[in-house]
Amino acid sequence: MINAEIFREYDIRGVVDKDFDAQFASELGKTFVTYLSQKTGVKNPVISVGHDARLSSPSLSKAMCEGLQSAGARVVFLGLVTSPISYFSMFNLDNPAGGVMITGSHNPPEYNGFKISVGKTTIFGSEIQELLKIMQKGEYVAGLGAFTTFNIFDDYVARYKQEFKNMPKVKVVLDCGNGAAGCIARRMYESVGLEPVILFEEPDGRFPNHHPDPTVEKNLDALKKAVKEHGAAIGIGFDGDADRIGIVDGEGRFIQGDEMMVIISRGILMDNPGAKIIGDVKCSDRLYEDIRKHGGQPIMWKTGHSLVKTKIKEEKAPFGGELSGHVFYADRNYGYDDALYAGLRLIELLGKTGKFFCIAGRYGR
């Protein structure tokens, strides 16, 4: 029996072997190809599949790939990647119809789930409910699929090595939290000339050192300590699938999500005077006041990473974010939430200004 409650607003998520299992993942693969067929008429769609570091992710991804192929999909398997790299594949592969990222994000180890892209955006709301309706009917398209593996890291790193070729030499500490960020963080940051100190780099779905949510201050205790010990200018933490970011300043002080958005927004407005900046309803009024004070047009929007991404596209805004640590750069990037990329933008800004515009809630600097 299908547990309808796991079909949530922005993804499909629950406790593995309680709310769903590998057979469900296979059925979801068939469902997704059927959904694409109904929406686009595409047969044998190219679909990328990636997964995070959770212990259940390899078996779920295997079942997902089998289900996709049985419905005629040409699967491009990315292996262990971050969610943003899954999104990147939508811009990088040859004519992809969609993508599936198997991840439990920042949830406890027993959780897992599926983030689904159609074209260059993630589906949410009624579109996810449409998947549920198709699965409940159990009437799927069938076809002869295919399976290939693809090393997407080379293209991903090359893309940002070019963008950050003049990166200032800032001392930084990264905390991968034993999540998916560890599969690429060192290579990405070293490729632009940085020499990061990296904590908990090895992907380990048990998350043995701390819970992988960098927006909760207690989870950054080790990062704070390392920043002070190494005399770093900034400490950057990533969640389990590296789409959310948390930071501490050079004195080891935690910076809230909307305070981080003030830092970023002021930098964005230096290069994009009068630009629209999107924030969610959970951000403080101080953020919107600060955007207005520095010549921007603040827009308060609904909470939800898919909703904010969509609003950024509609408003042609160069930047937006949420209190929860999802930040979206459309300026110079693709408009989705990539914490590793956001970290590089913060380091770049820090190198340009010599200090952040606000530190630990003290605005006006």
Side-chain angles (χ1 to χ4, degrees):
M1 183 175 178
I2 301 168
N3 182 355
E5 292 183 358
I6 67 175
F7 287 76
R8 305 163 76 93
E9 182 67 14
Y10 311 111
D11 57 17
I12 299 166
R13 176 170 26 102
V15 176
V16 180
D17 293 329
K18 176 185 175 185
D19 295 320
F20 68 91
D21 56 15
Q23 180 59 36
F24 172 89
S26 178
E27 295 293 308
L28 182 60
K30 300 174 188 177
T31 297
F32 186 33
V33 180
T34 303
Y35 172 88
L36 287 172
S37 176
Q38 293 176 356
K39 293 291 183 180
T40 68
V42 174
K43 295 182 179 180
N44 303 115
V46 174
I47 299 176
S48 70
V49 177
H51 65 79
D52 69 10
R54 289 166 188 269
L55 301 184
S56 59
S57 290
S59 61
L60 291 174
S61 64
K62 182 176 183 292
M64 169 62 68
C65 291
E66 290 171 351
L68 291 168
Q69 290 174 82
S70 72
R74 291 173 288 165
V75 175
V76 180
F77 184 59
L78 307 177
L80 173 59
V81 295
T82 67
S83 285
I85 290 177
S86 171
Y87 304 152
F88 177 76
S89 72
M90 296 296 95
F91 295 83
N92 180 256
L93 297 178
D94 184 18
N95 198 31
V100 179
M101 178 65 188
I102 296 165
T103 177
S105 187
H106 60 283
N107 291 285
E110 63 271 21
Y111 280 79
N112 216 323
F114 309 86
K115 293 181 178 179
I116 298 176
S117 297
V118 173
K120 293 178 170 59
T121 188
T122 49
I123 65 172
F124 62 94
S126 62
E127 295 164 306
I128 289 180
Q129 293 307 308
E130 187 64 29
L131 293 177
L132 172 59
K133 292 176 184 177
I134 293 171
M135 184 178 284
Q136 287 173 332
K137 286 184 178 179
E139 298 174 358
Y140 308 124
V141 297
L144 181 62
F147 178 89
T148 60
T149 61
F150 181 63
N151 178 4
I152 199 169
F153 294 128
D154 291 346
D155 292 341
Y156 181 74
V157 170
R159 161 70 176 80
Y160 297 114
K161 181 179 180 180
Q162 176 63 27
E163 178 174 343
F164 295 99
K165 57 187 175 184
N166 297 315
M167 177 66 80
K169 297 296 187 285
V170 173
K171 188 172 289 188
V172 57
V173 179
L174 307 178
D175 182 351
C176 294
N178 297 114
C183 73
I184 192 62
R186 182 178 297 277
R187 180 178 172 186
M188 183 180 186
Y189 278 58
E190 288 182 349
S191 76
V192 301
L194 296 170
E195 298 177 355
V197 174
I198 304 183
L199 308 179
F200 316 132
E201 182 176 8
E202 182 68 23
D204 184 340
R206 298 167 297 177
F207 307 119
N209 291 289
H210 63 73
H211 187 66
D213 185 349
T215 65
V216 176
E217 186 170 2
K218 68 179 182 179
N219 295 331
L220 299 183
D221 287 347
L223 182 61
K224 291 180 180 181
K225 182 179 178 182
V227 165
K228 293 177 182 178
E229 287 179 350
H230 294 277
I234 183 175
I236 302 172
F238 308 107
D239 76 334
D241 62 336
D243 62 358
R244 299 201 305 157
I245 184 173
I247 62 174
V248 300
D249 68 17
E251 297 178 29
R253 292 179 294 195
F254 177 62
I255 297 179
Q256 294 281 356
D258 53 356
E259 296 165 354
M260 176 175 59
M261 287 178 62
V262 167
I263 296 170
I264 296 171
S265 295
R266 292 193 191 179
I268 290 289
L269 291 169
M270 290 171 63
D271 298 325
N272 301 272
K276 296 177 180 178
I277 306 290
I278 314 297
D280 79 323
V281 296
K282 295 181 180 179
C283 293
S284 69
D285 291 340
R286 294 181 300 172
L287 167 65
Y288 301 104
E289 291 168 1
D290 198 85
I291 292 169
R292 192 175 294 108
K293 178 181 176 182
H294 288 85
Q297 302 178 55
I299 298 176
M300 183 184 295
W301 197 237
K302 304 169 186 176
T303 296
H305 62 90
S306 293
L307 298 174
V308 175
K309 276 187 282 192
T310 301
K311 189 65 172 176
I312 287 171
K313 185 180 296 184
E314 290 175 352
E315 298 289 346
K316 296 181 173 56
F319 174 74
E322 298 181 283
L323 183 66
S324 63
H326 289 280
V327 292
F328 312 84
Y329 283 89
D331 175 58
R332 292 167 31 192
N333 208 39
Y334 304 105
Y336 56 73
D337 38 346
D338 186 339
L340 286 158
Y341 176 80
L344 291 178
R345 289 291 294 261
L346 282 162
I347 293 166
E348 179 186 62
L349 181 59
L350 182 56
K352 287 180 179 179
T353 62
K355 64 179 181 180
F356 283 143
F357 297 115
C358 76
I359 298 177
R362 295 203 288 266
Y363 285 53
R365 294 193 172 197

